[in-house]
Amino acid sequence: MNFDSFMGSFLSWLVVLPSAVLCIAPMKNNLKKSFGATIRNMILVLLALITVSSVAESFLPSEYNAMTPVILVAAFVFYHHSLTVDITKSLTVFSTVCTLMSFTANISVLYDAYTHPTLDLDHASSDSTIFQLTLAVIFAVLFFFPMWKYGSRIVDRLDIRTVWIGTLPILSIFITSNIMTLPIKYETVHVNKIFFGMCMSLGLLFVLLLLLCIMFYFIVDGLIAASETRERNQFLEMQESHYHAVQRYMDETARVRHDFKHTIGALSDLAANGDVEAVRKYLEEYLEAQPHSDTVQYCSDTAVNAMLNHYAHRAVDQGIEMNLEIDLPASSSLPSLDQCSILGNILENAIIACENIPEEERYIDLLIRNDHGQIYIVASNSFDGKVRVKDGRYLTTHHRKGHGIGLSSITSTAEKNGGMVRFSHEGKEFNTDVLLPFRKEK
C-alpha cells in the first residue's frame, strides 16, 4: 500500500465530516437520538468508511474520486436511518448539502490549476486538498445557522412528498454542471480567458443556487402560513357558530326564567281549585315549550368542543350515524390547535368517505381515551371499499393525483408532538389509530 496515496485520499475525504454536520442541522427535531449522539455516530461511521475507501484507492489504480458513489450511498443509508422523516425529505437535504459542497471541490480544483498548471485532475496537489477541507469547514460554519433555523422549519412543516421530489432534478442539474466543468488537464485553464470564464460561471451558479434555496423557503413558508391561517379561520368559524348556538340557548333560558313566576302563579291557582288534570296538562305543555340546546359538551376545551359539535351537526345533516365517546384531559401540554387539526382531519375525511355510500350504511365512530399518560384516538368509518396504496401510504381517491393531505397532516401533527399514527382498512371500514403522549400543564 502506498502510504502517501492513502493519506492523500484520506485527507481529501475529510470534507464529508463538515458536510455531515450540515446534513443533520435541519433535522434537529427529527433525530432518533440526541443531536450530539447523532453527530458522534455519524463521524465515527464516516471515518471508518473513508478509511476503507482510502485503502482501496491506494491499492487499486483508479480515476479521480472513483469511490465517491460508494461513500455517498453508504453515508446516505446511515443518515436516513438516523432520522424519523420520510425518505424524500432526507434525500433532498442530503442532495442539497452535496450540491453545496460540490462547489468547494470545483473551487479547490481551480485553485490547484492556477497554482500548479502542470498537474491534472487525477494528480492533484496536497495544497488543494487542504484548501478544499478549509473551504468545506468555512461553508459548514456559514450555512449551519440557516440550515438549523430555516431548514428545520421547512422540514418540520412541509409534508407534501411531490414538492420534495420536485427539488431533486434541479439539484442534479447543479451537481452535473459542476462535474462537467472540471478540467481534466490543468494547463487548459491557462489558455486565453478560460480560467476567468470558469470562475465567473462557477460564481453565477453558486449565487443562483442560493437564490433558488431562498425562493423555495419563502414560497413554501408562505404556502404553509396560508394553509395554517385557513385552518385557524375554520376553527374560529366553528367556535363562532358554537358560541351563537350557546348564546341562543342562554337567551331562551333567560326568557323562561323570567316567565317562571307566571307559571308558578298559574299552577298555584289550578292546584287551589283541585283541578289535577289541568295541572298535569299545563305541566306537559310547559315542558314541551322548554328550549333545547343543540350543542353537546364533549370536553372542557372550547375549541375542540366547538369542532366536535360542528362535525356532529354535519354528520346529522348528511344522514351519518355518528358515535362519539370523548375523554380528553382538562389541561394538557398538547396545543388545542393540534388537537383540532388531528380530530378535524379524521372527521373531515370520514364524512367525505361516507358521501360515496348509501345513507343506511354511513357511520363514524370516534373514541378518545386518556389512560396511563397516553391519549388514545381510535376512529372507524364506513366507505366504499376503494383504496389506493403506494409505498405503504394511502393515496387520496378524491383527486387524480397526490396523496391524502389530511392523512399526511394527521401524521405530521402527531409526530411533532411525539406521537404515532396507524391507518388501516378492512373491507368497507377505514380505521385510524393515534397515540399521543399526555403531559399535564404546570
Side-chain angles (χ1 to χ4, degrees), residues 153-274:
R153 182 178 173 86
I154 295 298
V155 169
D156 295 343
R157 299 168 69 200
L158 180 62
D159 295 297
I160 305 176
R161 300 185 81 202
T162 51
V163 175
W164 290 105
I165 294 173
T167 62
L168 296 176
I170 300 174
L171 295 173
S172 65
I173 292 174
F174 281 93
I175 294 178
T176 304
S177 177
N178 282 340
I179 294 175
M180 295 299 293
T181 55
L182 286 171
I184 303 300
K185 291 187 176 296
Y186 291 170
E187 60 187 15
T188 59
V189 175
H190 295 268
V191 177
N192 295 327
K193 296 183 178 181
I194 293 180
F195 181 80
F196 177 76
M198 291 184 68
C199 290
M200 288 296 295
S201 62
L202 194 62
L204 290 174
L205 275 177
F206 183 70
V207 172
L208 180 60
L209 176 64
L210 294 182
L211 289 176
L212 288 175
C213 290
I214 294 172
M215 288 174 59
F216 177 78
Y217 171 80
F218 281 110
I219 291 173
V220 171
D221 187 61
L223 291 174
I224 294 174
S227 176
E228 291 177 347
T229 300
R230 286 194 300 270
E231 193 173 51
R232 287 191 181 95
N233 289 340
Q234 182 183 11
F235 293 144
L236 288 174
E237 289 173 3
M238 293 179 190
Q239 286 184 287
E240 183 182 14
S241 175
H242 178 66
Y243 168 78
H244 288 311
V246 173
Q247 189 63 46
R248 287 194 301 271
Y249 177 71
M250 292 175 64
D251 292 341
E252 293 175 0
T253 304
R255 176 184 56 79
V256 170
R257 288 198 304 268
H258 180 267
D259 297 339
F260 188 66
K261 60 182 180 180
H262 304 297
T263 301
I264 294 297
L267 288 173
S268 179
D269 293 339
L270 292 174
N273 295 331

Side-chain angles (χ1 to χ4, degrees), residues 94-103 171-172 174-175 178 209:
F94 188 84
S95 301
T96 302
V97 174
C98 288
T99 304
L100 185 65
M101 287 302 180
S102 69
F103 284 93
L171 295 173
S172 65
F174 281 93
I175 294 178
N178 282 340
L209 176 64

